[in-house]
Amino acid sequence: MKSQQSHNPLHVTFLPFPSPGHMIPMIDTARLLAKHGVNVTIITTHANASTFQKTIDSDFSLGYSIKTHLIEFPSAQVGLPDGVENLKDGTSSEILSKINRGISMLRDPIEVLFKDLQPDCIVTDMMYPWTVEAAAKLNIPRIHFYSSSYFSSCAFHFIMKYRPHDNLVSDTQKFTIPSFPHTIEMTPLQIPDWLREKNPATAYFEPIYESEEKSYGTLYNSFHELESEYEKLCNTTRGIKSWSVGPVSAWAKKDDEKKGDKGHIEENGKVAEWLNWLNSKQNESVLYVSFGSLTRLTHAQLVEIAHGLENSGHNFIWVVRKNDMDESENSFLQDFEGRMKESKKGYIIWNWAPQLQILDHPATGGIVTHCGWNSILESLNAGLPMIAWPMFAEQFYNEKLLVDVLKIGVRVGAKENKSWDSICVEAMVRREEIAKAVEILMGSGQESKEMRMRAKKLGDASKRTIEEGGHSYNNLIQFIDELKSLKKSKALGDSAD
Ligand code: UDP
């Protein structure tokens, strides 16, 4: 990949949404465009930029035309301390709603910036439906960036359109997702509450999903070999123009010397403790347990997970995100951590794990995931089968894709789509169910062997698709070429006026 010298290169502005699951794949997509000769500007706030600026600076120093344009987060106006600008910092519902308010206040300054920057195109996160009008005002294409699967996007669309969950006798009665090529059953409890019944959040989410059809097209962080039937469904039945360009993070990082947040070596030059621990384990013997960047679990659920993992008898690395813990929670987890250290069966990572390095380590043999799309792609890239434990948003759809369609996942048995900040004190999944799922995935049974084989095949396909000539590679080139021709036609039209 070479940087392209041109007097008037295509200028694309990216507008990421501040949560890791949205931001990471968009920044990587921006980097890929820059590496293919596009002039890229990323609009973000200071604290968010600090998580990826080094990578952008390093791309820039290699000759790629990529930069970050900073805007001020209205911390004082919404009553937040400096630096709290990302949904992952929302440790309480109150903080979360302040962060969301701050994000919505950025609309005006961003619109002004779009006018100043005069890009040829904006690639914006799905969470900013207002950018449909902003792009129309500037007469430039708006590209919708969808940070999950085609499968989930189609599920949202057809459930919103046909409402198959209305008029069922209970919230636990099953319905089938309409228009799908596979028979996929769900219960109303597994879809987000704003879709189950209209509530104040419906007015927030509906425009987000509707904005896709009002856009020039959509970039999907997915790949043809993974969900071609749903890619087709999206393009034909829904009339969406889309480009599957994933897995973008594996692609962007392919050329980097080290992956992700470089967890191997600590600042004092020592090998990280988690790595020493993993190095001491047999190949494919460790289960990585993570619920992504936003999920927080109740104390009751943490206790069930701890016992479920311990009772399974398998090795595990578990990422535990700190709530505003009370004393009993603290002492339970500390005792558990101590016991695991002694038995060498388990290792706890507090708050944030170097996920990519752990997944790629030969000792890792599977993952418990909340079915966040990035975690799914990252596990697939490492060829790992999964235990699917969806929590909220589109994660229950992704669970169906993993378990019922791709057959590379074991269902833990989550029943209700519920965000952590809705009031909930009980454990949703019991220790017996957790231990059972772990035994199926990590045990030596036929089911596990077959899932592992299928996951490895998909992992190989995910590597091939981003190589020159692969589907995702070609799609990215086509996407850039199409934007270039649009720019050209617009310039010709302007000069004819
Ligand atoms: N992540 C990480 N360390 C953690 C938790 C998350 O590096 O301890 C990264 C993970 O690799 C993924 C992203 O954060 O790239 C989470 O995105 P995902 O779509 O899986 O879930 P979300 O956080 O959006 O629910």
Side-chain angles (χ1 to χ4, degrees):
M1 287 187 270
K2 275 197 178 129
S3 68
Q4 186 184 294
Q5 297 303 320
S6 159
H7 289 306
N8 189 15
L10 178 73
H11 179 200
V12 178
T13 295
F14 284 78
L15 184 58
F17 184 76
S19 90
H22 287 247
M23 219 165 71
I24 294 171
M26 183 177 274
I27 301 307
D28 286 333
T29 308
R31 295 181 62 207
L32 289 176
L33 259 72
K35 289 185 178 188
H36 285 88
V38 177
N39 175 14
V40 167
T41 307
I42 301 165
I43 300 177
T44 192
T45 60
H46 292 75
N48 285 306
S50 67
T51 63
F52 61 80
Q53 191 59 47
K54 262 194 198 159
T55 328
I56 302 300
D57 291 343
S58 133
D59 287 354
F60 183 79
S61 68
L62 290 172
Y64 302 117
S65 180
I66 184 163
K67 62 175 185 297
T68 309
H69 194 112
L70 295 179
I71 46 173
E72 205 66 52
F73 193 81
S75 310
Q77 280 151 284
V78 294
L80 280 172
D82 281 347
V84 179
E85 302 174 1
N86 189 296
L87 291 193
K88 78 167 171 24
D89 304 323
T91 47
S92 69
S93 305
E94 196 196 342
I95 297 180
L96 205 55
S97 85
K98 286 179 178 176
I99 298 173
N100 271 319
R101 201 143 55 83
I103 296 170
S104 66
M105 286 169 70
L106 294 175
R107 175 175 174 166
D108 287 345
I110 292 172
E111 283 214 54
V112 171
L113 195 55
F114 281 158
K115 274 194 207 128
D116 291 349
L117 292 172
Q118 300 234 335
D120 299 308
C121 164
I122 48 175
V123 176
T124 107
D125 192 280
M126 60 187 282
M127 302 301 281
Y128 302 113
W130 56 266
T131 52
V132 169
E133 288 120 67
K137 277 188 219 158
L138 296 172
N139 190 25
I140 54 172
R142 177 212 194 236
I143 304 297
H144 188 86
F145 189 89
Y146 187 69
S147 41
S148 192
S149 55
Y150 277 103
F151 184 94
S152 69
S153 171
C154 290
F156 265 123
H157 174 80
F158 289 113
I159 294 175
M160 274 168 73
K161 184 169 175 188
Y162 297 114
R163 302 195 63 83
H165 54 291
D166 280 349
N167 308 317
L168 297 180
V169 292
S170 79
D171 268 354
T172 51
Q173 195 186 342
K174 288 184 179 157
F175 67 86
T176 304
I177 304 182
S179 306
F180 265 33
H182 297 90
T183 305
I184 304 294
E185 290 187 325
M186 302 195 70
T187 68
L189 269 189
Q190 295 178 324
I191 61 176
D193 60 351
W194 61 265
L195 181 53
R196 216 176 295 158
E197 275 170 26
K198 280 207 187 307
N199 66 21
T202 312
Y204 175 77
F205 284 106
E206 267 181 1
I208 289 171
Y209 287 94
E210 287 162 2
S211 68
E212 181 170 15
E213 276 149 50
K214 297 178 187 157
S215 303
Y216 182 80
T218 306
L219 280 175
Y220 275 86
N221 183 19
S222 185
F223 56 101
H224 178 77
E225 296 82 346
L226 182 62
E227 35 169 9
S228 60
E229 284 170 284
Y230 293 91
E231 181 188 48
K232 191 167 157 205
L233 188 67
C234 191
N235 297 183
T236 53
T237 321
R238 297 177 56 202
I240 305 278
K241 186 195 264 277
S242 76
W243 298 268
S244 317
V245 294
V248 292
S249 296
W251 189 353
K253 290 181 179 80
K254 196 160 56 103
D255 303 332
D256 295 350
E257 270 179 18
K258 289 182 203 153
K259 282 184 176 180
D261 57 8
K262 332 260 185 302
H264 289 78
I265 308 293
E266 309 265 81
E267 270 169 18
N268 57 16
K270 284 193 185 148
V271 173
E273 198 183 287
W274 64 264
L275 183 58
N276 275 329
W277 189 87
L278 265 184
N279 285 343
S280 73
K281 299 296 175 197
Q282 278 185 0
N283 282 0
E284 297 189 348
S285 71
V286 177
L287 180 69
Y288 171 65
V289 185
S290 163
F291 299 97
S293 64
L294 303 177
T295 309
R296 285 181 163 71
L297 299 163
T298 59
H299 180 53
Q301 189 63 78
L302 286 168
V303 171
E304 290 306 300
I305 295 175
H307 288 302
L309 291 173
E310 187 174 13
N311 295 347
S312 80
H314 288 277
N315 297 319
F316 64 87
I317 287 198
W318 177 18
V319 193
V320 183
R321 294 172 53 72
K322 278 189 183 148
N323 294 326
D324 296 329
M325 285 192 201
D326 62 27
E327 270 315 298
S328 60
E329 187 163 333
N330 244 328
S331 66
F332 171 81
L333 283 169
Q334 272 161 12
D335 287 353
F336 180 71
E337 187 178 22
R339 207 160 67 237
M340 290 305 103
K341 265 200 177 140
E342 243 167 63
S343 69
K344 300 195 168 56
K345 273 285 174 195
Y347 189 92
I348 291 187
I349 294 188
W350 293 97
N351 283 325
W352 194 257
Q355 182 158 311
L356 293 177
Q357 288 96 326
I358 294 176
L359 292 175
D360 278 347
H361 195 285
T364 306
I367 169 173
V368 176
T369 173
H370 68 309
C371 300
W373 189 239
N374 297 288
S375 295
I376 289 178
L377 287 177
E378 289 159 9
S379 309
L380 262 182
N381 204 250
L384 297 173
M386 298 161 225
I387 290 176
W389 186 336
M391 299 275 170
F392 59 93
E394 89 295 4
Q395 294 159 10
F396 280 83
Y397 304 136
N398 290 341
E399 176 213 63
K400 314 286 171 205
L401 175 67
L402 289 180
V403 179
D404 301 328
V405 179
L406 301 173
K407 302 189 190 321
I408 54 168
V410 181
R411 184 172 271 136
V412 81
K415 291 185 181 58
E416 188 171 355
N417 192 318
K418 217 174 173 124
S419 159
W420 63 270
D421 61 332
S422 47
I423 301 175
C424 162
V425 283
E426 316 125 47
M428 313 284 280
V429 180
R430 305 264 155 223
R431 63 188 74 176
E432 299 77 24
E433 298 171 286
I434 300 166
K436 191 173 152 210
V438 175
E439 183 44 39
I440 296 175
L441 191 85
M442 302 300 284
S444 51
Q446 192 58 19
E447 197 178 342
S448 162
K449 281 191 190 128
E450 286 173 10
M451 278 190 297
R452 207 165 285 284
M453 217 172 59
R454 283 191 283 267
K456 286 212 162 81
K457 263 191 170 169
L458 283 170
D460 291 343
S462 82
K463 292 185 180 81
R464 279 197 309 272
T465 199
I466 55 176
E467 293 296 334
E468 209 164 333
H471 276 287
S472 287
Y473 186 95
N474 289 345
N475 290 338
L476 188 83
I477 304 296
Q478 273 168 23
F479 171 66
I480 296 172
D481 285 348
E482 187 160 339
L483 292 183
K484 282 183 184 163
S485 347
L486 282 177
K487 177 182 164 87
K488 220 173 179 177
S489 338
K490 191 169 167 234
L492 285 174
D494 288 350
S495 64
D497 286 343

